[in-house]
Amino acid sequence: MAFTLCAQQEVRLSVRSRWTQTFTVVFAALALAVATSGYVLSGGSGTQDFSRTAASLVELVLLLVPLTSLVFGVMALTPDPGAAQLLYSQPVPRTVVLFGQLAGLCLALLAAQAVGFGAAGLLIFQRAGSDGVFGFLGVVAGSCVLTVVFLAVAATITAGSTSLRRAHHLAVALVVWFAAVVLFDVAALGAASLLRSGAASRLLMVAAIVNPVDAVRTGTLLTVDGTTAFGAASLAFLRMTGGTTGAALTLAASLVVWIVLPLGIAAARVRRADL
Amino acid sequence: MITYEGFAKTFGIVHAVRDLTVTIAAGEVVALLGPNGSGKTTSIKAAAGLVRPTEGRVLLGAPGRSALEADARRVCSFLPQRVTFPESLTGREVAEFYCKLRGRNADRLQEVMKLTGLNGSSRRTVGTYSGGMTQRLGLAVAMAAQALVLLLDEPTAALDPDGTCAFYAVIEARRSEGQTVFFSSHQMGDVERLADRFLVMVSGRLVASFTARELTTALANRGVMKVTVDGISDVVLTRLRAIAPGVMSSADQIMVPGTADVRLAVLDLLRNQGVTIRGWSAEEGRLDAFYRELVEGHHG
């Protein structure tokens, strides 16, 4: 009951927030732009099919969704001290309040993304048919998973704190985003270039599992293009995990850990916090 | 209703509260006084389950359960010093949310909004409220919980005179229903008017606890009587000083500091000595002066 109420309240706040409204419009515009202008670079014109749109959308999702989830998460989970004190003094366990808020925020962000994916999907279906729709749905699923993972990370950063530390938490969130989306891959590739081929492949394999952004990228590419889009490291990863099912399960396990572990830490922090 | 058992709280190297042991009984209206940084807010927040004791514990209800247990907090309702609400929600939406969160229906909401003077503004978004209206909404939320204990941290600090009147009405209503109120304040007017008992904290320690009756006596003992007379002889003045050593006099006025008994004795003596009394007035001691003495005594 309290969980649902907190989730509903967060959905209501998110729907009325200009930030969420802006994100919805921008994400939809970008998704439509990707769907309608994908052939421009290859000198053509017209709407792409689902497969090509999905392949183009992956990078947009990997870049934008972690950032918005972290920033929106930090903003929503660092209320003013007076608001936090009133909320957490209610006869409701703190973890229920936190997870309720997270659930509501997650729903709101997923709904905002659904508008963009839905608009692009409808346009593609109307103009190019349903070929490759599963790859597109794979990107949507990847986007959902990234939203949950990075909201959980935002909860870990902010749990039990208030707006007095919001700027600090935002800075930490931006560092986390930059590390996960840009720095990690650069570091992994840099390190791999210094290693022998076998060791480099193993390093890149581990990198694909350890970083949630890479895990979603690998999983999504698997749904969009199968193994055709894979490089040497990904193929080695497939061999190690015994095929696509094993690879998918390994990636899913990594992502589950990336959701459960931050939520566990956030729960422990919010329980112990002095407000 | 609220029991502090050796409660202590340390933030880093700062001892906010040290060894606080006090019980607030059901139906009492208790004021917590003290200068800034004396540990008032930390103590009240501990009762609201917002602060984990470094030592000791804070219990709510009977039999007492730790304030850190969510269910134990069902008996209390807390209003922070500077409450805020999401600006995009209306006053009514805010109050309804908190009612539902406690499993209460919103039946009394209209009544509480009216009592706190927000009835006409409940459909407006909180973003359009003034600071005082937001604080009143906080009071409405705290009231609508219908909890047995009301915990208020400097509730009138941000209120305008209307809001303060609404606050007094709320507390009087709570008192008449026999419910418990524990509040901190710097406003001596609030304290004197509302509280049955007073706790004074200085530097994290409880330094004084007295009932309203004890306060009245203490203030009376600090009173001053001013008597206007038709002249007074040195002999009478010497006799007066024998029973009231602090007596001061001018040509036609005598100032007598001291207890009510001393003042009565002075009046009797003047009459018996045939002194013509043209008028007199008495002023009780002031709470703020009394409080300052207490605080300075323990600061030193």
Side-chain angles (χ1 to χ4, degrees), chain B residues 66-139:
Chain B
S66 167
L68 296 172
E69 288 176 36
D71 211 42
R73 295 198 293 272
R74 207 160 278 289
V75 299
C76 74
S77 180
F78 170 65
L79 176 63
Q81 195 172 342
R82 270 181 287 272
V83 71
T84 54
F85 301 102
E87 293 191 348
S88 60
L89 298 180
T90 65
R92 191 171 181 86
E93 283 172 338
V94 166
E96 273 175 358
F97 168 71
Y98 281 102
C99 273
K100 287 178 185 169
L101 206 55
R102 285 181 162 265
R104 299 267 180 204
N105 54 34
D107 290 352
R108 278 193 69 189
L109 214 52
Q110 191 80 7
E111 179 196 334
V112 168
M113 294 297 238
K114 199 171 170 183
L115 193 61
T116 50
L118 282 173
N119 206 24
S121 317
S122 62
R123 307 268 173 204
R124 274 168 49 191
T125 55
V126 174
T128 66
Y129 282 18
S130 65
M133 288 170 80
T134 307
Q135 197 70 11
R136 278 196 243 174
L137 178 59
L139 195 57

Side-chain angles (χ1 to χ4, degrees), chain A residues 32 39 59 66 70 79 82 111 116 129 156 201-203 215 258 264-265 270 274:
Chain A
L32 284 170
Y39 284 120
E59 291 309 316
L70 282 168
T156 308
S201 284
R202 277 195 296 279
L203 175 71
W258 268 105
I265 296 169
V270 79
D274 288 323

Side-chain angles (χ1 to χ4, degrees), chain B residues 35-229:
Chain B
N36 290 333
S38 59
K40 301 187 301 292
T41 296
T42 303
S43 302
I44 289 192
K45 286 205 297 196
L50 294 168
V51 166
R52 297 181 78 82
T54 308
E55 282 171 37
R57 55 189 189 156
V58 183
L59 306 174
L60 295 173
R65 291 169 65 190
S66 167
L68 296 172
E69 288 176 36
D71 211 42
R73 295 198 293 272
R74 207 160 278 289
V75 299
C76 74
S77 180
F78 170 65
L79 176 63
Q81 195 172 342
R82 270 181 287 272
V83 71
T84 54
F85 301 102
E87 293 191 348
S88 60
L89 298 180
T90 65
R92 191 171 181 86
E93 283 172 338
V94 166
E96 273 175 358
F97 168 71
Y98 281 102
C99 273
K100 287 178 185 169
L101 206 55
R102 285 181 162 265
R104 299 267 180 204
N105 54 34
D107 290 352
R108 278 193 69 189
L109 214 52
Q110 191 80 7
E111 179 196 334
V112 168
M113 294 297 238
K114 199 171 170 183
L115 193 61
T116 50
L118 282 173
N119 206 24
S121 317
S122 62
R123 307 268 173 204
R124 274 168 49 191
T125 55
V126 174
T128 66
Y129 282 18
S130 65
M133 288 170 80
T134 307
Q135 197 70 11
R136 278 196 243 174
L137 178 59
L139 195 57
V141 167
M143 284 292 291
Q146 299 171 52
L148 295 172
V149 180
L150 206 50
L151 298 168
L152 309 168
D153 187 13
E154 297 192 25
T156 56
L159 291 178
D160 59 9
D162 280 352
T164 307
C165 286
F167 168 71
Y168 289 157
V170 163
I171 301 303
E172 292 300 343
R174 301 280 305 187
R175 189 203 300 279
S176 66
E177 290 166 11
Q179 291 172 337
T180 311
V181 181
F182 183 34
F183 71 103
S184 67
S185 185
H186 285 298
Q187 312 287 329
M188 292 300 152
D190 296 351
V191 170
E192 214 169 351
R193 175 170 175 170
L194 297 171
D196 303 324
R197 191 147 69 96
F198 309 85
L199 306 177
V200 182
M201 290 185 80
V202 178
S203 304
R205 291 187 193 282
L206 181 67
V207 298
S209 168
F210 40 88
T211 62
R213 183 183 287 270
E214 287 165 344
L215 177 70
T216 308
T217 308
L219 295 183
N221 289 346
R222 285 166 170 73
V224 177
M225 181 173 66
K226 207 183 285 178
V227 188
T228 309
V229 293

